[in-house]
Amino acid sequence: MKKLFSLGLIVLLTLALLTACGGASDGSKDKGAGNVTYKDGTYTAEEPDFDDHGWKAQIEIKVEGGKITEVNFDEVNQEGKKKSEDTEYIERFKQQKNVDIVDAYDTLEKGLVEKQDPDAVDTYTGATGATEKFKALAKEALKEAQSK
């Protein structure tokens, strides 16, 4: 009797798991690479204020043929100097975190072109703050580009 009860419980749990993982049955698709179409154009966003270190993140996203084709992300200081061109900052960041911030920006940009969805872009280890800024600004810039 206990074996029959255990078997029934296993079957019930398996069915529940399969049902939960089955996905939508109404034909709708999840948002992800290949499923999102954007309006062609160039879209920008930037942080409203400079952070505690004097930097403000900015992004420019180019869309062609309904897909993201180019992304430029950087941070600027109050003088307009780009973080990616500040050799002193780049070296200090490398020494402190063992991370190349220019490589981080490049990897994030390529990730968005590849995945077409800011939420799908992987976090760059050691540059979590930059990743968070990148994703937030990418979402903001792409709001205007969303096809309805």
Side-chain angles (χ1 to χ4, degrees), residues 67-96:
K67 298 290 181 188
I68 298 168
T69 59
E70 187 178 328
V71 180
N72 294 300
F73 175 78
D74 212 326
E75 297 179 61
V76 297
N77 63 18
Q78 293 173 342
E79 291 81 39
K81 185 173 185 176
K82 293 180 178 182
K83 191 181 272 190
S84 66
E85 297 172 355
D86 185 338
T87 53
E88 243 180 74
Y89 180 87
I90 294 167
E91 283 304 312
R92 208 170 42 247
F93 198 84
K94 264 187 198 177
Q95 289 173 357
Q96 291 174 354

